[in-house]
Amino acid sequence: MSDEVQLDQEVYDRLISEGKSERIARAKAKAAAVRQAKIAEGQSLGPKPPEQAEKALEEFRSSAGGGGVATKAAAPAESGAAPGGRLTPEERAARVQASLGNGGEAPSRGVPTSSEHTHRLLALVPPAGIQQVQSKQMDKVYTWPHLLLVEFVSLLAMGALLLIASFFLDAPLGSLANPNEVPAINKAPWYFMGLQELLRYFHPMVAGVTLPGVFLVMLMAAPFIDKNPSAKPENRKVANLAFTFFASFWGLLVLIGSFLRGPGYEWVWPWVEGLGFTL
Amino acid sequence: MAKNDLKSRVQDNVIWKSIFRPGSIYRKGYRDTSRDRALAAMNNVLYHLHPVKVKRHGLKLTYTYCLGGLSFFLFVLLTVTGIFLMFFYTPAAGAGTEVAYLNMRELSASVTFGQLVRNLHRWGAHAMVFTVFLHMARVFYHGAYKPPREFNWVVGVILLTLTLLLSFTGYLLPWDQLALWAVTVGTNMMGFTPVFGEQVQFVLLGGVEIGPNTLLRWYVLHVLFIPFITVVFLAVHFWRIRKDGGISGPL
Ligand code: HEM
């Protein structure tokens, strides 16, 4: 659906010759091309024209001055207002300070009440207070198209797989439920077969309540038990081994229960007595 | 040319523009630039669950294997197919009124696509238990539950439990021998809960043994109560992924 953006070849070549990476050169060349296209369409780019900016600044100054925001630090700068209707660096710093609640002796009201910019209240909360802030730049790519494409393809693959399975394999439906007739082979769904297998070895309270309970609590507590800060596999052999052990043990119980148990929940070999397992 | 003409006629009107916000890839003038790529994620209700940018290593299929995403896809698929099944199912059982079981027979015999949708729902449910478990394993092996993600792991374990409960409550609904006795094995164990065993079992079964009341109770749990709780925890899960700084790693 996208209209392909032409690269600005000149910019691209210049950046490459300056030793910039391919990725950056391409992005900047695209940006340059878009900018030129916009200028050609007669749109204005960049900051507001001086008259408009001057007016906005006046409004800000009058509201801020009246409201006790940024007065002290900003006052000296006011006389030597920067050209082009912009805030001077001092003014800008004062404004930030004020919005963070550090505006000198005068108690800050944060955002001037007369302002329409109610959203600026957000500036009162330092980002680190509500979320993880990475101080280090990471190697990141755009969600669209990169991540969304991967997600879409895997979704299609899973959908196709299920559709094919559903086309060829019908879900089982036995005879009408009858509380007076216990079937010879009587099994829980496979994900609970581990518990049913445990039931063979332990008292039902242990197998059905205590062990699964302990298991769930241990699972939830895992991050608080494993204090090792490293996520590298070579540094956490014990944790990985423990998890692998429990997972395989559980898998083994499920497999035994599903395939090696027959009528009366006795041990059978599926190639002798047939498969006593329904999904 | 004719194709471009049609495209701009469709895209260049008030209605289209009111639906697709600036930066949408369906809007006229979408350009493959950094700005529009960012807007595509930010200005779309479906995509803005994601941040604008993601860590490059997280894209490699071998990091997440997309397992969390697939679990969620299956949850959505089960919701859609489940709603279809609800049109043809009444949770009633008991001597002379074996409606639930008869509904299941009719579903495969005379409802268009009935058998196919039932199969999708059944195999999808098994697949979801499987993907959720694999997702948990991949999170563990990446140490992705370490600070600051401890709480999201706990939310995850709750989601695993809810997934199992969803599957298990659904298992009873066909009201055939398979369903009745598989569920009996499970509910007998609940009766051994210390101190409150009998009460727990009575509340869950709506009586002293599995019967018509149990079916109604588990139906409501299956189609309404547990999905509702699951959606709440899913919301927290997804929200925490972003607040915890996105996907973990690189290792
Ligand atoms: C209904 C079930 C679940 C759904 C739909 C789900 C969904 C997701 C998704 C989409 C992600 C993003 C990364 C990825 O795809 O791997 C994720 C991450 C995560 N999930 Fe789940 N999840 C579920 C169950 C669980 C379970 C059972 C656990 C653990 C016990 C868990 C723990 C986590 C953690 C710790 C992360 C962060 C991983 C990282 O940053 O690398 N989730 N989940």
Side-chain angles (χ1 to χ4, degrees):
Chain A
M1 274 268 175
S2 71
D3 301 331
E4 203 43 56
V5 177
Q6 298 300 320
L7 294 186
D8 185 324
Q9 199 60 39
E10 225 174 279
V11 173
Y12 183 79
D13 293 341
R14 181 167 53 75
L15 289 168
I16 290 288
S17 68
E18 281 170 14
K20 290 277 192 302
S21 81
E22 210 278 322
R23 196 156 61 92
I24 291 182
R26 197 150 40 104
K28 292 205 163 165
K30 272 186 187 173
V34 170
R35 229 178 287 127
Q36 271 170 10
K38 281 192 178 165
I39 290 170
E41 281 172 21
Q43 297 183 30
S44 65
L45 296 177
K48 292 174 187 151
E51 324 74 75
Q52 275 183 34
E54 208 91 46
K55 209 165 129 252
L57 185 64
E58 275 316 310
E59 271 168 22
F60 167 71
R61 284 206 178 112
S62 58
S63 65
V69 177
T71 34
K72 197 171 158 230
E78 210 136 359
S79 48
R86 314 242 181 98
L87 291 172
T88 61
E90 293 81 9
E91 276 177 315
R92 195 172 293 127
R95 194 168 149 186
V96 171
Q97 282 302 312
S99 69
L100 288 174
N102 308 332
E105 295 95 353
S108 165
R109 288 199 294 110
V111 180
T113 41
S114 61
S115 165
E116 286 165 23
H117 300 289
T118 47
H119 291 76
R120 252 195 266 121
L121 281 170
L122 268 178
L124 297 175
V125 184
I130 47 175
Q131 63 189 17
Q132 271 259 301
V133 182
Q134 240 90 34
S135 48
K136 192 172 59 163
Q137 268 283 319
M138 297 202 67
D139 189 14
K140 287 193 170 182
V141 292
Y142 281 103
T143 298
W144 166 260
H146 303 286
L147 176 60
L148 288 176
L149 275 184
V150 176
E151 284 182 344
F152 187 61
V153 170
S154 56
L155 178 156
L156 283 185
M158 175 59 93
L161 196 77
L162 273 181
L163 203 58
I164 293 170
S166 302
F167 197 78
F168 291 108
L169 299 172
D170 278 349
L173 185 64
S175 53
L176 177 65
N178 181 354
N180 301 319
E181 182 199 326
V182 188
I185 298 182
N186 181 8
K187 290 185 187 177
W190 63 271
Y191 38 87
F192 285 145
M193 273 323 287
L195 292 183
Q196 201 177 351
E197 185 62 22
L198 285 179
L199 208 52
R200 275 297 276 199
Y201 312 111
F202 299 102
H203 183 268
M205 193 177 103
V206 178
V209 183
T210 317
L211 282 178
V214 169
F215 188 71
L216 269 185
V217 171
M218 290 275 286
L219 205 58
M220 286 204 203
F224 309 98
I225 297 170
D226 176 10
K227 293 281 188 195
N228 172 3
S230 171
K232 290 194 194 310
E234 59 267 32
N235 295 339
R236 44 197 305 268
K237 296 209 172 86
V238 177
N240 282 350
L241 212 67
F243 186 84
T244 310
F245 174 77
F246 278 115
S248 326
F249 181 66
W250 194 248
L252 189 71
L253 288 183
V254 170
L255 287 178
I256 293 177
S258 299
F259 298 118
L260 301 177
R261 295 292 186 178
Y265 211 71
E266 292 305 325
W267 190 281
V268 295
W269 298 110
W271 52 90
V272 183
E273 314 242 355
L275 204 58
F277 175 69
T278 342
L279 268 179
Chain B
M1 266 298 109
K3 185 175 145 247
N4 271 343
D5 221 38
L6 181 66
K7 186 176 154 193
S8 83
R9 190 124 45 94
V10 172
Q11 292 188 329
D12 205 357
N13 64 63
V14 190
I15 295 173
W16 194 270
K17 282 187 197 161
S18 73
I19 299 173
F20 297 105
R21 305 196 62 211
S24 164
I25 55 172
Y26 304 113
R27 193 163 161 127
K28 186 172 157 60
Y30 173 85
R31 299 188 179 92
D32 191 18
T33 59
S34 304
R35 183 176 173 278
D36 279 5
R37 283 180 175 195
L39 286 175
M42 212 152 49
N43 274 356
N44 183 304
V45 63
L46 290 177
Y47 305 159
H48 93 286
L49 207 56
H50 292 302
V52 164
K53 280 183 149 193
V54 289
K55 296 174 193 166
R56 183 187 294 275
H57 78 92
L59 280 183
K60 271 205 311 215
L61 196 59
T62 49
Y63 192 75
T64 64
Y65 294 95
C66 237
L67 285 165
L70 285 176
S71 308
F72 183 56
F73 168 61
L74 288 169
F75 181 76
V76 173
L77 185 89
L78 287 164
T79 308
V80 175
T81 51
I83 290 171
F84 178 90
L85 294 176
M86 280 175 77
F87 288 134
F88 306 101
Y89 179 85
T90 317
T97 55
E98 305 293 357
V99 186
Y101 180 74
L102 294 179
N103 284 166
M104 298 305 292
R105 285 249 170 260
E106 281 160 18
L107 186 70
S108 45
S110 50
V111 175
T112 313
F113 292 126
Q115 181 74 51
L116 184 73
V117 176
R118 183 179 169 221
N119 293 347
L120 278 172
H121 197 75
R122 182 89 165 198
W123 305 139
H126 285 307
M128 183 173 165
V129 174
F130 206 59
T131 55
V132 170
F133 181 76
L134 289 181
H135 169 61
M136 180 177 80
R138 101 82 194 144
V139 168
F140 189 94
Y141 287 122
H142 283 158
Y145 55 78
K146 305 204 167 188
R149 298 183 177 80
E150 314 98 302
F151 181 66
N152 217 13
W153 169 271
V154 176
V155 173
V157 177
I158 294 172
L159 282 171
L160 174 71
T161 316
L162 288 169
T163 307
L164 293 177
L165 286 178
L166 268 174
S167 266
F168 193 54
T169 48
Y171 214 84
L172 182 68
L173 303 186
W175 203 249
D176 58 351
Q177 279 289 72
L178 192 67
L180 178 69
W181 291 99
V183 167
T184 305
V185 174
T187 52
N188 277 349
M189 284 193 220
M190 293 174 199
F192 286 95
T193 309
V195 191
F196 302 110
E198 260 171 52
Q199 285 88 336
V200 168
Q201 207 179 13
F202 192 86
V203 169
L204 278 171
L205 298 185
V208 287
E209 56 173 26
I210 297 184
N213 286 338
T214 321
L215 184 61
L216 180 58
R217 240 165 239 220
W218 284 38
Y219 174 74
V220 174
L221 289 176
H222 183 74
V223 304
L224 214 64
F225 185 71
I226 308 178
F228 173 69
I229 305 284
T230 308
V231 167
V232 171
F233 278 96
L234 280 177
V236 176
H237 197 58
F238 296 158
W239 176 77
R240 272 306 286 251
I241 294 172
R242 287 193 61 177
K243 292 297 167 188
D244 291 342
I247 195 82
S248 61
L251 290 183

PDB file of all heavy atoms in Angstrom, chain B residues 150-176:
ATOM      1  N   GLU B 150       9.869  -9.982  37.721  1.00  0.00           N
ATOM      2  CA  GLU B 150       9.396 -11.048  38.630  1.00  0.00           C
ATOM      3  C   GLU B 150       7.876 -11.104  38.660  1.00  0.00           C
ATOM      4  O   GLU B 150       7.280 -12.173  38.627  1.00  0.00           O
ATOM      5  CB  GLU B 150       9.866 -10.833  40.074  1.00  0.00           C
ATOM      6  CG  GLU B 150      11.303 -10.474  40.254  1.00  0.00           C
ATOM      7  CD  GLU B 150      11.468  -8.991  40.415  1.00  0.00           C
ATOM      8  OE1 GLU B 150      11.045  -8.264  39.485  1.00  0.00           O
ATOM      9  OE2 GLU B 150      12.002  -8.559  41.433  1.00  0.00           O
ATOM     10  N   PHE B 151       7.265  -9.913  38.775  1.00  0.00           N
ATOM     11  CA  PHE B 151       5.813  -9.927  38.946  1.00  0.00           C
ATOM     12  C   PHE B 151       5.114 -10.454  37.700  1.00  0.00           C
ATOM     13  O   PHE B 151       4.103 -11.137  37.793  1.00  0.00           O
ATOM     14  CB  PHE B 151       5.298  -8.538  39.312  1.00  0.00           C
ATOM     15  CG  PHE B 151       3.808  -8.519  39.525  1.00  0.00           C
ATOM     16  CD1 PHE B 151       3.253  -9.209  40.594  1.00  0.00           C
ATOM     17  CD2 PHE B 151       2.974  -7.851  38.653  1.00  0.00           C
ATOM     18  CE1 PHE B 151       1.887  -9.218  40.786  1.00  0.00           C
ATOM     19  CE2 PHE B 151       1.602  -7.859  38.844  1.00  0.00           C
ATOM     20  CZ  PHE B 151       1.058  -8.537  39.917  1.00  0.00           C
ATOM     21  N   ASN B 152       5.683 -10.140  36.529  1.00  0.00           N
ATOM     22  CA  ASN B 152       5.026 -10.611  35.317  1.00  0.00           C
ATOM     23  C   ASN B 152       5.111 -12.134  35.208  1.00  0.00           C
ATOM     24  O   ASN B 152       4.249 -12.766  34.619  1.00  0.00           O
ATOM     25  CB  ASN B 152       5.634  -9.956  34.076  1.00  0.00           C
ATOM     26  CG  ASN B 152       4.575  -9.651  33.042  1.00  0.00           C
ATOM     27  OD1 ASN B 152       3.392  -9.706  33.350  1.00  0.00           O
ATOM     28  ND2 ASN B 152       4.994  -9.349  31.832  1.00  0.00           N
ATOM     29  N   TRP B 153       6.130 -12.711  35.778  1.00  0.00           N
ATOM     30  CA  TRP B 153       6.209 -14.177  35.839  1.00  0.00           C
ATOM     31  C   TRP B 153       5.071 -14.703  36.707  1.00  0.00           C
ATOM     32  O   TRP B 153       4.404 -15.686  36.348  1.00  0.00           O
ATOM     33  CB  TRP B 153       7.578 -14.589  36.386  1.00  0.00           C
ATOM     34  CG  TRP B 153       7.690 -16.047  36.729  1.00  0.00           C
ATOM     35  CD1 TRP B 153       7.395 -16.617  37.934  1.00  0.00           C
ATOM     36  CD2 TRP B 153       8.109 -17.116  35.867  1.00  0.00           C
ATOM     37  NE1 TRP B 153       7.614 -17.968  37.885  1.00  0.00           N
ATOM     38  CE2 TRP B 153       8.056 -18.309  36.626  1.00  0.00           C
ATOM     39  CE3 TRP B 153       8.531 -17.175  34.547  1.00  0.00           C
ATOM     40  CZ2 TRP B 153       8.401 -19.543  36.100  1.00  0.00           C
ATOM     41  CZ3 TRP B 153       8.876 -18.415  34.025  1.00  0.00           C
ATOM     42  CH2 TRP B 153       8.809 -19.576  34.789  1.00  0.00           C
ATOM     43  N   VAL B 154       4.840 -14.056  37.846  1.00  0.00           N
ATOM     44  CA  VAL B 154       3.761 -14.492  38.731  1.00  0.00           C
ATOM     45  C   VAL B 154       2.421 -14.378  38.000  1.00  0.00           C
ATOM     46  O   VAL B 154       1.594 -15.302  38.038  1.00  0.00           O
ATOM     47  CB  VAL B 154       3.749 -13.659  40.031  1.00  0.00           C
ATOM     48  CG1 VAL B 154       2.564 -14.052  40.902  1.00  0.00           C
ATOM     49  CG2 VAL B 154       5.050 -13.849  40.785  1.00  0.00           C
ATOM     50  N   VAL B 155       2.212 -13.254  37.306  1.00  0.00           N
ATOM     51  CA  VAL B 155       0.999 -13.105  36.499  1.00  0.00           C
ATOM     52  C   VAL B 155       0.919 -14.248  35.488  1.00  0.00           C
ATOM     53  O   VAL B 155      -0.150 -14.818  35.253  1.00  0.00           O
ATOM     54  CB  VAL B 155       0.986 -11.741  35.774  1.00  0.00           C
ATOM     55  CG1 VAL B 155      -0.179 -11.661  34.798  1.00  0.00           C
ATOM     56  CG2 VAL B 155       0.902 -10.610  36.774  1.00  0.00           C
ATOM     57  N   GLY B 156       2.076 -14.606  34.923  1.00  0.00           N
ATOM     58  CA  GLY B 156       2.120 -15.696  33.957  1.00  0.00           C
ATOM     59  C   GLY B 156       1.671 -17.018  34.556  1.00  0.00           C
ATOM     60  O   GLY B 156       0.901 -17.760  33.943  1.00  0.00           O
ATOM     61  N   VAL B 157       2.144 -17.325  35.774  1.00  0.00           N
ATOM     62  CA  VAL B 157       1.744 -18.586  36.401  1.00  0.00           C
ATOM     63  C   VAL B 157       0.234 -18.594  36.621  1.00  0.00           C
ATOM     64  O   VAL B 157      -0.434 -19.621  36.427  1.00  0.00           O
ATOM     65  CB  VAL B 157       2.499 -18.802  37.730  1.00  0.00           C
ATOM     66  CG1 VAL B 157       2.021 -20.075  38.407  1.00  0.00           C
ATOM     67  CG2 VAL B 157       3.997 -18.879  37.478  1.00  0.00           C
ATOM     68  N   ILE B 158      -0.313 -17.441  36.985  1.00  0.00           N
ATOM     69  CA  ILE B 158      -1.770 -17.356  37.142  1.00  0.00           C
ATOM     70  C   ILE B 158      -2.444 -17.620  35.795  1.00  0.00           C
ATOM     71  O   ILE B 158      -3.444 -18.348  35.716  1.00  0.00           O
ATOM     72  CB  ILE B 158      -2.162 -15.975  37.703  1.00  0.00           C
ATOM     73  CG1 ILE B 158      -1.626 -15.838  39.123  1.00  0.00           C
ATOM     74  CG2 ILE B 158      -3.679 -15.799  37.687  1.00  0.00           C
ATOM     75  CD1 ILE B 158      -1.781 -14.463  39.716  1.00  0.00           C
ATOM     76  N   LEU B 159      -1.882 -17.066  34.719  1.00  0.00           N
ATOM     77  CA  LEU B 159      -2.456 -17.299  33.387  1.00  0.00           C
ATOM     78  C   LEU B 159      -2.390 -18.769  33.011  1.00  0.00           C
ATOM     79  O   LEU B 159      -3.316 -19.312  32.402  1.00  0.00           O
ATOM     80  CB  LEU B 159      -1.716 -16.462  32.344  1.00  0.00           C
ATOM     81  CG  LEU B 159      -2.098 -14.986  32.287  1.00  0.00           C
ATOM     82  CD1 LEU B 159      -1.156 -14.227  31.376  1.00  0.00           C
ATOM     83  CD2 LEU B 159      -3.530 -14.846  31.790  1.00  0.00           C
ATOM     84  N   LEU B 160      -1.289 -19.432  33.375  1.00  0.00           N
ATOM     85  CA  LEU B 160      -1.175 -20.865  33.099  1.00  0.00           C
ATOM     86  C   LEU B 160      -2.295 -21.623  33.814  1.00  0.00           C
ATOM     87  O   LEU B 160      -2.980 -22.469  33.225  1.00  0.00           O
ATOM     88  CB  LEU B 160       0.194 -21.371  33.557  1.00  0.00           C
ATOM     89  CG  LEU B 160       0.426 -22.876  33.463  1.00  0.00           C
ATOM     90  CD1 LEU B 160       0.545 -23.305  32.030  1.00  0.00           C
ATOM     91  CD2 LEU B 160       1.674 -23.284  34.236  1.00  0.00           C
ATOM     92  N   THR B 161      -2.487 -21.295  35.102  1.00  0.00           N
ATOM     93  CA  THR B 161      -3.549 -21.944  35.864  1.00  0.00           C
ATOM     94  C   THR B 161      -4.912 -21.696  35.220  1.00  0.00           C
ATOM     95  O   THR B 161      -5.726 -22.607  35.079  1.00  0.00           O
ATOM     96  CB  THR B 161      -3.563 -21.395  37.304  1.00  0.00           C
ATOM     97  OG1 THR B 161      -2.229 -21.324  37.766  1.00  0.00           O
ATOM     98  CG2 THR B 161      -4.370 -22.282  38.209  1.00  0.00           C
ATOM     99  N   LEU B 162      -5.150 -20.451  34.820  1.00  0.00           N
ATOM    100  CA  LEU B 162      -6.436 -20.117  34.203  1.00  0.00           C
ATOM    101  C   LEU B 162      -6.625 -20.871  32.887  1.00  0.00           C
ATOM    102  O   LEU B 162      -7.729 -21.338  32.581  1.00  0.00           O
ATOM    103  CB  LEU B 162      -6.522 -18.611  33.956  1.00  0.00           C
ATOM    104  CG  LEU B 162      -6.706 -17.761  35.219  1.00  0.00           C
ATOM    105  CD1 LEU B 162      -6.508 -16.284  34.910  1.00  0.00           C
ATOM    106  CD2 LEU B 162      -8.089 -17.993  35.806  1.00  0.00           C
ATOM    107  N   THR B 163      -5.531 -21.009  32.122  1.00  0.00           N
ATOM    108  CA  THR B 163      -5.625 -21.752  30.864  1.00  0.00           C
ATOM    109  C   THR B 163      -6.035 -23.191  31.127  1.00  0.00           C
ATOM    110  O   THR B 163      -6.909 -23.746  30.449  1.00  0.00           O
ATOM    111  CB  THR B 163      -4.268 -21.724  30.142  1.00  0.00           C
ATOM    112  OG1 THR B 163      -3.840 -20.376  30.025  1.00  0.00           O
ATOM    113  CG2 THR B 163      -4.367 -22.341  28.767  1.00  0.00           C
ATOM    114  N   LEU B 164      -5.406 -23.804  32.154  1.00  0.00           N
ATOM    115  CA  LEU B 164      -5.765 -25.189  32.485  1.00  0.00           C
ATOM    116  C   LEU B 164      -7.214 -25.284  32.935  1.00  0.00           C
ATOM    117  O   LEU B 164      -7.944 -26.208  32.547  1.00  0.00           O
ATOM    118  CB  LEU B 164      -4.835 -25.716  33.587  1.00  0.00           C
ATOM    119  CG  LEU B 164      -3.366 -25.898  33.177  1.00  0.00           C
ATOM    120  CD1 LEU B 164      -2.534 -26.347  34.357  1.00  0.00           C
ATOM    121  CD2 LEU B 164      -3.263 -26.909  32.047  1.00  0.00           C
ATOM    122  N   LEU B 165      -7.646 -24.315  33.729  1.00  0.00           N
ATOM    123  CA  LEU B 165      -9.028 -24.351  34.218  1.00  0.00           C
ATOM    124  C   LEU B 165     -10.015 -24.174  33.067  1.00  0.00           C
ATOM    125  O   LEU B 165     -11.063 -24.826  33.026  1.00  0.00           O
ATOM    126  CB  LEU B 165      -9.256 -23.264  35.271  1.00  0.00           C
ATOM    127  CG  LEU B 165      -8.627 -23.542  36.637  1.00  0.00           C
ATOM    128  CD1 LEU B 165      -8.879 -22.390  37.585  1.00  0.00           C
ATOM    129  CD2 LEU B 165      -9.183 -24.838  37.218  1.00  0.00           C
ATOM    130  N   LEU B 166      -9.691 -23.291  32.126  1.00  0.00           N
ATOM    131  CA  LEU B 166     -10.551 -23.105  30.960  1.00  0.00           C
ATOM    132  C   LEU B 166     -10.704 -24.419  30.210  1.00  0.00           C
ATOM    133  O   LEU B 166     -11.804 -24.838  29.844  1.00  0.00           O
ATOM    134  CB  LEU B 166      -9.948 -22.056  30.031  1.00  0.00           C
ATOM    135  CG  LEU B 166     -10.387 -20.619  30.244  1.00  0.00           C
ATOM    136  CD1 LEU B 166      -9.599 -19.698  29.342  1.00  0.00           C
ATOM    137  CD2 LEU B 166     -11.867 -20.481  29.962  1.00  0.00           C
ATOM    138  N   SER B 167      -9.575 -25.079  29.979  1.00  0.00           N
ATOM    139  CA  SER B 167      -9.601 -26.348  29.254  1.00  0.00           C
ATOM    140  C   SER B 167     -10.425 -27.381  29.997  1.00  0.00           C
ATOM    141  O   SER B 167     -11.240 -28.087  29.408  1.00  0.00           O
ATOM    142  CB  SER B 167      -8.172 -26.877  29.102  1.00  0.00           C
ATOM    143  OG  SER B 167      -7.648 -26.472  27.891  1.00  0.00           O
ATOM    144  N   PHE B 168     -10.190 -27.437  31.304  1.00  0.00           N
ATOM    145  CA  PHE B 168     -10.811 -28.490  32.100  1.00  0.00           C
ATOM    146  C   PHE B 168     -12.321 -28.289  32.193  1.00  0.00           C
ATOM    147  O   PHE B 168     -13.089 -29.248  32.074  1.00  0.00           O
ATOM    148  CB  PHE B 168     -10.175 -28.503  33.492  1.00  0.00           C
ATOM    149  CG  PHE B 168     -10.504 -29.716  34.293  1.00  0.00           C
ATOM    150  CD1 PHE B 168     -10.279 -30.979  33.778  1.00  0.00           C
ATOM    151  CD2 PHE B 168     -11.034 -29.595  35.568  1.00  0.00           C
ATOM    152  CE1 PHE B 168     -10.582 -32.106  34.515  1.00  0.00           C
ATOM    153  CE2 PHE B 168     -11.337 -30.722  36.313  1.00  0.00           C
ATOM    154  CZ  PHE B 168     -11.117 -31.979  35.787  1.00  0.00           C
ATOM    155  N   THR B 169     -12.776 -27.034  32.389  1.00  0.00           N
ATOM    156  CA  THR B 169     -14.219 -26.797  32.470  1.00  0.00           C
ATOM    157  C   THR B 169     -14.883 -27.091  31.129  1.00  0.00           C
ATOM    158  O   THR B 169     -16.004 -27.583  31.081  1.00  0.00           O
ATOM    159  CB  THR B 169     -14.532 -25.358  32.902  1.00  0.00           C
ATOM    160  OG1 THR B 169     -13.739 -24.459  32.115  1.00  0.00           O
ATOM    161  CG2 THR B 169     -14.239 -25.135  34.361  1.00  0.00           C
ATOM    162  N   GLY B 170     -14.160 -26.798  30.030  1.00  0.00           N
ATOM    163  CA  GLY B 170     -14.734 -27.078  28.723  1.00  0.00           C
ATOM    164  C   GLY B 170     -14.876 -28.561  28.448  1.00  0.00           C
ATOM    165  O   GLY B 170     -15.762 -28.989  27.714  1.00  0.00           O
ATOM    166  N   TYR B 171     -13.989 -29.340  29.075  1.00  0.00           N
ATOM    167  CA  TYR B 171     -13.965 -30.774  28.816  1.00  0.00           C
ATOM    168  C   TYR B 171     -15.272 -31.458  29.199  1.00  0.00           C
ATOM    169  O   TYR B 171     -15.662 -32.469  28.622  1.00  0.00           O
ATOM    170  CB  TYR B 171     -12.806 -31.391  29.621  1.00  0.00           C
ATOM    171  CG  TYR B 171     -12.130 -32.559  28.952  1.00  0.00           C
ATOM    172  CD1 TYR B 171     -11.124 -32.347  28.021  1.00  0.00           C
ATOM    173  CD2 TYR B 171     -12.480 -33.868  29.260  1.00  0.00           C
ATOM    174  CE1 TYR B 171     -10.495 -33.408  27.406  1.00  0.00           C
ATOM    175  CE2 TYR B 171     -11.851 -34.935  28.648  1.00  0.00           C
ATOM    176  CZ  TYR B 171     -10.858 -34.696  27.719  1.00  0.00           C
ATOM    177  OH  TYR B 171     -10.235 -35.737  27.119  1.00  0.00           O
ATOM    178  N   LEU B 172     -15.982 -30.888  30.185  1.00  0.00           N
ATOM    179  CA  LEU B 172     -17.216 -31.526  30.664  1.00  0.00           C
ATOM    180  C   LEU B 172     -18.398 -31.288  29.719  1.00  0.00           C
ATOM    181  O   LEU B 172     -19.339 -32.090  29.674  1.00  0.00           O
ATOM    182  CB  LEU B 172     -17.568 -30.981  32.058  1.00  0.00           C
ATOM    183  CG  LEU B 172     -18.809 -31.588  32.715  1.00  0.00           C
ATOM    184  CD1 LEU B 172     -18.563 -33.043  33.069  1.00  0.00           C
ATOM    185  CD2 LEU B 172     -19.210 -30.819  33.952  1.00  0.00           C
ATOM    186  N   LEU B 173     -18.355 -30.196  28.961  1.00  0.00           N
ATOM    187  CA  LEU B 173     -19.559 -29.721  28.281  1.00  0.00           C
ATOM    188  C   LEU B 173     -20.190 -30.696  27.274  1.00  0.00           C
ATOM    189  O   LEU B 173     -21.407 -30.701  27.141  1.00  0.00           O
ATOM    190  CB  LEU B 173     -19.291 -28.362  27.633  1.00  0.00           C
ATOM    191  CG  LEU B 173     -18.815 -27.280  28.619  1.00  0.00           C
ATOM    192  CD1 LEU B 173     -18.717 -25.934  27.932  1.00  0.00           C
ATOM    193  CD2 LEU B 173     -19.734 -27.164  29.818  1.00  0.00           C
ATOM    194  N   PRO B 174     -19.420 -31.521  26.526  1.00  0.00           N
ATOM    195  CA  PRO B 174     -20.092 -32.445  25.590  1.00  0.00           C
ATOM    196  C   PRO B 174     -20.988 -33.454  26.297  1.00  0.00           C
ATOM    197  O   PRO B 174     -21.857 -34.043  25.671  1.00  0.00           O
ATOM    198  CB  PRO B 174     -18.926 -33.166  24.896  1.00  0.00           C
ATOM    199  CG  PRO B 174     -17.761 -32.272  25.070  1.00  0.00           C
ATOM    200  CD  PRO B 174     -17.955 -31.583  26.377  1.00  0.00           C
ATOM    201  N   TRP B 175     -20.760 -33.648  27.583  1.00  0.00           N
ATOM    202  CA  TRP B 175     -21.601 -34.540  28.398  1.00  0.00           C
ATOM    203  C   TRP B 175     -21.649 -35.953  27.825  1.00  0.00           C
ATOM    204  O   TRP B 175     -22.686 -36.589  27.738  1.00  0.00           O
ATOM    205  CB  TRP B 175     -23.012 -33.965  28.547  1.00  0.00           C
ATOM    206  CG  TRP B 175     -23.714 -34.495  29.755  1.00  0.00           C
ATOM    207  CD1 TRP B 175     -24.793 -35.335  29.755  1.00  0.00           C
ATOM    208  CD2 TRP B 175     -23.408 -34.257  31.132  1.00  0.00           C
ATOM    209  NE1 TRP B 175     -25.158 -35.645  31.046  1.00  0.00           N
ATOM    210  CE2 TRP B 175     -24.325 -34.992  31.915  1.00  0.00           C
ATOM    211  CE3 TRP B 175     -22.417 -33.522  31.802  1.00  0.00           C
ATOM    212  CZ2 TRP B 175     -24.305 -34.990  33.309  1.00  0.00           C
ATOM    213  CZ3 TRP B 175     -22.404 -33.512  33.177  1.00  0.00           C
ATOM    214  CH2 TRP B 175     -23.338 -34.244  33.909  1.00  0.00           C
ATOM    215  N   ASP B 176     -20.488 -36.450  27.406  1.00  0.00           N
ATOM    216  CA  ASP B 176     -20.405 -37.857  27.021  1.00  0.00           C
ATOM    217  C   ASP B 176     -19.635 -38.604  28.108  1.00  0.00           C
ATOM    218  O   ASP B 176     -19.198 -38.011  29.099  1.00  0.00           O
ATOM    219  CB  ASP B 176     -19.755 -38.016  25.637  1.00  0.00           C
ATOM    220  CG  ASP B 176     -18.363 -37.418  25.588  1.00  0.00           C
ATOM    221  OD1 ASP B 176     -17.963 -36.739  26.561  1.00  0.00           O
ATOM    222  OD2 ASP B 176     -17.668 -37.615  24.579  1.00  0.00           O
TER     223      ASP B 176
END
